[in-house]
Amino acid sequence: MSSEPESAPEQKQLPKAPGLLRSSGLVGIMTMLSRVLGLVRDMVIARYFGAGAGADAFFVAFKVPNFLRRLFAEGAFSQAFVPVLSSYRENQSLSEVQRLVNAVAGSLGLVLLGVTLVAVLGSPVLAAVFAPGFLDDDVKFALTRDMLRITFPYLLLISLTAFAGGILNSYDRFAVPAFTPVLLNLAMIAAAIWLTPLMDEPVMALAWGVFIAGALQLFFQLPFLMRLGLLPRPRVDYRHEGVSRILKLMAPALFGVSVSQINLLLDTVLASFLQTGSVSWLYYSDRLSELPLGVFGIAIATVILPSLSRKHAAASADQFAATLDWAVRAVLLIGLPAALALALLAEPLIATLFHYGAVTDRDVAMSAQSLRAYSAGLLAFMLIKVLAPGFFAREDTKTPVKIGIIAMVANMVFNLILIFPLAHAGLALATSISAWLNGYLLWRGLRKEGAWQSQPGWFRFLLQLLFANSALAAVIIWLRAPVAVWLANGGYQRAADMALLVGAGVGVYFVALVLAGVRVRHFRHR
């Protein structure tokens, strides 16, 4: 009886959703700001700590909660929560949506609090599990253990932040969740510069920066939830129908969408057995490969999941398939040139961003090896991000689980094969190969089920991409200087030369696309 009067105000406060291209562009701009600041953050870390024992220990202590964040908060939880919330938004009153939000906030918060307490108390065990190679190095192991006690609560804070962001994204408020990661980078930069001199062990400042960032990110989003009328009032209720659906979807989703993160973590575990610096080389190269992945791949995935969920709830199969096809084309448009540029400019990019302070010429060369290996899988990483929502929007988490397990096993096999001849770069290459397997199996599954259907114009589009990427490669090869020149130049000269290369490459690529007949209107979609 109460649903009629409550649905009307809900409709008044919700303007028409913007198009996917516009929303993706907005999220991409915000994410670009975050990623650029992330690179500045890594440059600061590289200048202060290089690729030594302290840096290796921090990267492990940061990667553990960060990995779990992507696995649970942005992976399994978001992929389960957003479709259920979208279904409630489509079919229930605002008061029912509020009850769902309250129940999820209380139930999720209680679980996360318990996990955090156990992890803080068991930090030595976590350090031994995620970096077993550090057990023979007392300094590294002690640093990792102590920093984990500070960084692990970040999982609790950032998971609740992801929960808040999921609500905002479901109501087409994409800008705020996309901007929130900026606060992490600002907090860590500030900690490295101003907290480091105050610490007995300087690298501990970075761990405190992570903790502070988690609190800032959570509290930043609360006023926007209040404005939306959905500020959570936590209530533990595991019997709530929506909570039960989310829990049922979450367990298999752990593997389905986050297998690439599991593979990256396995790389860190194995790299801990290699020579000192290996963990840091993988970290710096992974950070660069994640720039286009985050700015474009994750931006598109963030925008299409609520859209796909609503189209599935409305039984609009044709629009569902068309949206997936649009997402794949958008990823190819950006992913191919990004992967090509990372491969061709590996040493110049690493040198420009990280060759300062404690980072040596050898660190640049070794990081470039793993960057090239990651670039081989960049397009696959991006495709996984946009194909997986095709399953989760339909509340199908079983299929991605099977695919994720296959890809993870394949990654371990390739790791063991490639680590001996290629060391840390072999680990990165194994991750890329398994990502391609994962992406292919996701695409095949969607096509087989009819969820993705090829739209007209694919052959012409692939020829246009071939022409534009060939032009991009030719310009980069023509303009780039030898590696020795990049290493010898100062920071300002490297930055100026890189700006010229990037500007020329981007300009030529998009001019070539226009000459080949690609227009912005071809990518407008709702």
Side-chain angles (χ1 to χ4, degrees), residues 330-347:
V331 161
L332 289 174
L333 188 74
I334 301 299
L336 277 174
L340 187 62
L342 287 178
L344 292 175
L345 294 174
E347 286 90 355

Side-chain angles (χ1 to χ4, degrees), residues 437-460:
L437 176 62
N438 191 6
Y440 167 73
L441 292 176
L442 287 171
W443 171 79
R444 190 181 70 172
L446 289 169
R447 187 180 180 186
K448 184 177 179 180
E449 295 173 10
W452 181 83
Q453 299 171 16
S454 177
Q455 305 296 303
W458 262 101
F459 181 72
R460 174 181 172 83

Side-chain angles (χ1 to χ4, degrees), residues 136-156:
D136 295 331
D137 189 323
D138 292 341
V139 174
K140 273 190 184 181
F141 183 79
L143 280 174
T144 305
R145 176 200 63 208
D146 293 343
M147 283 192 284
L148 268 171
R149 290 177 179 144
I150 302 170
T151 60
F152 202 91
Y154 177 73
L155 174 65
L156 167 64

Side-chain angles (χ1 to χ4, degrees), residues 174-209:
F174 297 109
V176 174
F179 175 80
T180 301
V182 169
L183 300 175
L184 169 65
N185 297 319
L186 291 176
M188 291 185 65
I189 291 169
I193 295 174
W194 288 296
L195 279 185
T196 296
L198 305 178
M199 296 285 170
D200 293 332
E201 182 60 57
V203 77
M204 295 294 289
L206 297 178
W208 282 110

Side-chain angles (χ1 to χ4, degrees), residues 65-371:
N66 211 32
F67 159 74
L68 293 173
R69 167 183 68 88
R70 293 178 178 180
L71 188 63
F72 292 101
E74 294 177 356
F77 174 73
S78 291
Q79 301 294 2
F81 174 61
V82 171
V84 173
L85 181 61
S86 297
S87 176
Y88 267 68
R89 175 189 169 183
E90 195 77 17
N91 302 309
Q92 303 287 340
S93 66
L94 185 60
S95 62
E96 287 299 318
V97 175
Q98 179 72 66
R99 291 189 186 99
L100 172 66
V101 167
N102 294 344
V104 173
S107 305
L108 174 68
L110 182 62
V111 171
L112 288 170
L113 182 60
V115 170
T116 300
L117 290 174
V118 170
V120 169
L121 294 174
S123 61
V125 177
L126 278 177
V129 169
F130 288 99
F134 290 1
L135 287 170
D136 295 331
D137 189 323
D138 292 341
V139 174
K140 273 190 184 181
F141 183 79
L143 280 174
T144 305
R145 176 200 63 208
D146 293 343
M147 283 192 284
L148 268 171
R149 290 177 179 144
I150 302 170
T151 60
F152 202 91
Y154 177 73
L155 174 65
L156 167 64
L157 297 166
I158 202 61
S159 295
L160 294 175
T161 301
F163 163 64
I167 299 172
L168 293 169
N169 285 336
S170 294
Y171 282 81
D172 302 311
R173 271 57 168 188
F174 297 109
V176 174
F179 175 80
T180 301
V182 169
L183 300 175
L184 169 65
N185 297 319
L186 291 176
M188 291 185 65
I189 291 169
I193 295 174
W194 288 296
L195 279 185
T196 296
L198 305 178
M199 296 285 170
D200 293 332
E201 182 60 57
V203 77
M204 295 294 289
L206 297 178
W208 282 110
V210 171
F211 180 86
I212 294 168
L216 290 174
Q217 289 174 294
L218 174 59
F219 289 112
F220 173 72
Q221 296 201 22
L222 297 184
F224 298 94
L225 289 179
M226 186 181 300
R227 187 180 303 172
L228 195 62
L230 288 172
L231 184 68
R233 301 174 183 88
R235 179 171 176 263
V236 179
D237 184 4
Y238 292 102
R239 295 182 180 180
H240 188 285
E241 186 270 344
V243 173
S244 299
R245 284 170 62 186
I246 292 168
L247 291 175
K248 184 184 294 185
L249 293 170
M250 272 189 69
L254 290 175
F255 287 99
V257 75
S258 302
V259 67
S260 62
Q261 297 305 316
I262 296 173
N263 290 339
L264 289 172
L265 191 65
L266 291 173
D267 290 351
T268 302
V269 172
L270 292 174
S272 71
F273 289 100
L274 300 176
Q275 59 183 305
T276 294
S278 295
V279 173
S280 299
W281 298 330
L282 283 171
Y283 175 83
Y284 292 133
S285 55
D286 175 48
R287 289 293 299 160
L288 265 175
S289 67
E290 284 208 358
L291 178 60
L293 174 62
V295 171
F296 301 108
I298 296 177
I300 295 170
T302 298
V303 169
I304 67 168
L305 179 58
S307 177
L308 289 173
S309 299
R310 290 195 295 270
K311 286 166 183 172
H312 175 68
S316 180
D318 290 342
Q319 283 297 310
F320 188 99
T323 298
L324 270 180
D325 186 85
W326 172 88
V328 171
R329 294 194 195 206
V331 161
L332 289 174
L333 188 74
I334 301 299
L336 277 174
L340 187 62
L342 287 178
L344 292 175
L345 294 174
E347 286 90 355
L349 282 167
I350 295 290
T352 300
L353 294 170
F354 304 123
H355 192 217
Y356 307 95
V359 176
T360 65
D361 290 359
R362 182 170 179 269
D363 291 330
V364 171
M366 300 301 272
S367 297
Q369 290 178 14
S370 48
L371 177 56

